[in-house]
Amino acid sequence: MPTCMSTPTNPAFAAALQKMAAQGAGGLKLPPPVFHEMGAEPLDYSPGDADGRGASMRVRFPVQERWQNPMAHMQGGAIAMAMDNVIGPLSYMAAPPSSTTQLQLTYLCPIPEDAESFEIAARVTLVSERQVIIDAELTLPDGTVATLARATNVIVRRR
């Protein structure tokens, strides 16, 4: 099983996790266990402007046999899980507390078994009073864009 760093080394990513804890996410498992289970490696994080617009995150995932479909391509549900592992935390870092309500994926080509890894880059494109919109793309090592995603996240009102 691939190893994953237990604590993100990107200073901005670590600072964002601390910000989340200060804003009421202290009891949450950050990053979540599934982030580690998929072997996620945070590569880059930018907080965007003061309102979270333009916030971005890039994460690398190893291609693992256990996530393959019968054709030895990465299974679509596992791709969605990887996307959610980037979009969800980014949404929460940009506009906490928030939760994904819609996730739309467009699969452009398969992730083959011989790909060692892939990267997902996500960017907050809109922050309104109640919603966060995030666009993401999954790129193979050769630069091929394999999957596009758009997520709508609702900002949960504090009591």
Side-chain angles (χ1 to χ4, degrees):
M1 172 150 79
T3 59
C4 176
M5 65 184 101
S6 60
T7 304
T9 57
N10 178 294
F13 190 86
L17 293 177
Q18 289 176 345
K19 176 183 171 185
M20 288 172 65
Q23 293 181 349
L28 300 179
K29 295 178 181 180
L30 301 170
V34 69
F35 191 85
H36 296 291
E37 181 68 21
M38 291 196 81
E41 177 187 358
L43 299 175
D44 189 38
Y45 169 74
S46 173
D49 68 15
D51 294 324
R53 288 178 191 89
S56 63
M57 186 163 48
R58 190 167 51 95
V59 178
R60 179 181 301 127
F61 294 86
V63 173
Q64 300 177 52
E65 183 178 6
R66 65 181 160 170
W67 307 121
Q68 291 176 351
N69 66 21
M71 295 178 288
H73 298 143
M74 189 163 178
Q75 199 266 346
I79 293 170
M81 186 167 55
M83 284 286 194
D84 198 35
N85 267 305
V86 180
I87 290 168
L90 179 60
S91 171
Y92 209 102
M93 288 188 277
S98 58
S99 182
T100 305
T101 57
Q102 294 180 27
L103 179 57
Q104 178 183 14
L105 280 79
T106 303
Y107 300 101
L108 304 172
C109 68
I111 299 174
E113 65 182 321
D114 62 350
E116 288 187 24
S117 64
F118 59 90
E119 292 183 10
I120 295 175
R123 181 184 258 340
V124 174
T125 57
L126 174 86
V127 178
S128 69
E129 184 177 322
R130 295 282 293 149
Q131 289 186 331
V132 180
I133 305 293
I134 297 175
D135 290 319
E137 66 179 38
L138 184 155
T139 307
L140 298 174
D142 68 2
T144 300
V145 176
T147 307
L148 299 173
R150 173 163 272 191
T152 302
N153 293 47
V154 65
I155 298 171
V156 181
R157 294 190 193 277
R158 293 191 177 98
R159 293 181 183 181

